[in-house]
């Protein structure tokens, strides 16, 4: 099949599935879909744009820079979703992404605040929560999430915190995945008073569970770009 038609078809299928799950959860829920383009090149991103999609996510600063530069003539919205090394903060800020979803520590928030203040810039961010408690995953731990969120609001005025992000445990066990999303939703609910609006959970393999547990932002890559 023609690659464009395939991507368009993949997107339509995913949107239909999301819509079904969304209606089961609540017809008032509004869900934002981030197409994770980390495995694909400019061509696929351009095709997805022409199929009607504008919001993309990358997990490496260099790729985010290269792809957003090459595609700068398209009105795309870029999300940084991967681990951020402190020595790459200036590079990240210079790209001016729409949002950083992988703010994973108070230390990183402090560093970001210093550089943002210098540049007289603000940056929308989500606090990443390590809901699976796997040591390979980044993020603040469940028990410290609320306190960390409030602390960042206090010490980093140039960071516009809009909510939280999590990656569930890497397993086929639905109960375990569900437990990750439930814990994260609980934190999200408790942060309503602090202005949290975005709950970013769910990837290709677990987005239905994420929607059933209140996610309003999904990050989906392989299902949208599959061959
Ligand atoms: C790769 C990635 C995704 C998308 O994963 P798929 O399984 O390809 O849908 C979502 N979130 C993060 C943080 C990722 O790194």
């Amino acid at each position: 099949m023609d690659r464009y038609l395939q991507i368009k078809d993949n997107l339509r299928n995913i949107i239909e599935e999301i819509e079904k799950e969304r209606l089961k959860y609540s017809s008032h829920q509004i869900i934002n879909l981030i197409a994770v383009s980390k495995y694909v090149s400019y061509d696929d991103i351009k095709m997805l744009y022409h199929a009607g999609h504008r919001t993309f996510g990358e997990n490496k600063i260099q790729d985010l820079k290269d792809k957003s530069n090459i595609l700068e003539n398209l009105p795309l919205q870029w999300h940084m979703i991967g681990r951020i090394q402190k020595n790459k903060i200036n590079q990240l800020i210079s790209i001016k992404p729409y949002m950083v979803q992988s703010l994973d520590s108070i230390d990183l928030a402090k560093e970001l605040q210093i550089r943002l203040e210098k540049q007289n810039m603000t940056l929308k961010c989500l606090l990443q929560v390590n809901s699976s408690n796997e040591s390979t995953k980044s993020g603040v731990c469940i028990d410290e999430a609320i306190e960390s969120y409030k602390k960042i609001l206090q010490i980093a005025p140039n960071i516009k915190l809009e909510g939280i992000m999590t990656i569930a445990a890497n397993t086929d066990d639905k109960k375990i995945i569900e437990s990750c999303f439930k814990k994260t939703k609980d934190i999200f609910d408790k942060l309503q008073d602090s202005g949290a609006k975005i709950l970013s959970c769910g990837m290709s393999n677990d987005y239905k569970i994420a929607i059933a547990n209140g996610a309003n932002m999904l990050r989906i890559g392989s299902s949208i770009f599959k061959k």
Side-chain angles (χ1 to χ4, degrees):
M1 206 202 305
D2 177 86
R3 182 67 177 147
Y4 171 68
L5 290 180
Q6 176 163 49
I7 285 180
K8 199 174 161 186
D9 208 44
N10 290 349
L11 178 66
R12 201 195 56 218
N13 288 335
I14 287 281
I15 289 175
E16 274 174 16
E17 292 297 314
I18 292 172
E19 183 61 5
K20 268 190 238 160
E21 301 304 313
R22 183 185 78 83
L23 291 173
K24 277 188 227 165
Y25 179 77
S26 160
S27 59
H28 296 290
Q29 182 80 326
I30 294 171
I31 295 181
N32 218 320
L33 171 63
I34 314 299
V36 177
S37 48
K38 65 188 183 193
Y39 301 124
V40 301
S41 74
Y42 326 113
D43 293 337
D44 275 14
I45 298 175
K46 239 190 255 174
M47 286 182 209
L48 192 65
Y49 166 74
H50 288 297
H53 197 80
R54 288 192 175 199
T55 317
F56 293 85
E58 286 288 331
N59 70 336
K60 294 204 179 89
I61 291 176
Q62 191 60 49
D63 292 345
L64 182 68
K65 184 176 184 173
D66 293 344
K67 290 176 184 175
S68 60
N69 267 339
I70 289 195
L71 298 167
E72 69 178 349
N73 291 327
L74 301 181
L76 307 182
Q77 198 188 77
W78 290 99
H79 292 238
M80 172 62 187
I81 60 172
R83 191 168 296 191
I84 298 160
Q85 288 167 301
K86 294 219 177 76
N87 62 359
K88 300 229 172 104
I89 291 180
N90 283 336
Q91 199 181 2
L92 174 67
I93 289 179
S94 72
I95 300 167
K96 296 196 164 88
Y98 176 79
M99 178 177 279
V100 169
Q101 301 202 10
S102 42
L103 175 58
D104 61 4
S105 71
I106 292 183
D107 270 359
L108 179 59
K110 282 180 184 161
E111 291 285 333
L112 262 177
Q113 171 59 29
I114 293 169
R115 318 290 174 93
L116 287 169
E117 206 174 315
K118 249 187 217 153
Q119 304 287 325
N120 198 17
M121 267 176 64
T122 60
L123 183 60
K124 290 187 171 91
C125 289
L126 304 180
L127 179 64
Q128 183 172 354
V129 177
N130 185 357
S131 60
S132 66
N133 214 9
E134 286 170 1
S135 59
T136 51
K137 294 220 167 78
S138 27
V140 297
C141 66
I142 289 281
D143 294 340
E144 290 168 7
I146 291 175
E147 202 183 328
S148 304
Y149 195 96
K150 291 183 176 169
K151 175 100 186 169
I152 293 169
L153 284 179
Q154 228 176 46
I155 64 168
N158 294 55
I159 292 177
K160 300 298 166 199
L161 261 191
E162 301 215 329
I164 54 180
M165 180 273 248
T166 202
I167 304 169
N170 192 5
T171 169
D172 291 331
D173 189 332
K174 285 196 171 153
K175 285 263 149 51
I176 295 176
I177 294 172
E178 194 170 43
S179 143
C180 293
F181 289 150
K182 280 192 192 309
K183 285 178 197 161
T184 311
K185 171 68 158 63
D186 186 51
I187 293 165
F188 177 66
D189 288 342
K190 289 179 177 148
L191 286 170
Q192 294 304 294
D193 291 346
S194 305
K197 294 189 289 283
I198 298 176
L199 178 57
S200 173
C201 309
M203 325 203 305
S204 293
N205 290 326
D206 57 19
Y207 71 90
K208 292 182 184 176
I209 308 172
I211 296 171
N213 288 283
N216 59 19
M217 185 174 277
L218 311 171
R219 310 174 310 270
I220 299 182
S222 12
S223 308
I224 292 179
F225 293 107
K226 72 177 178 220
K227 300 221 156 109

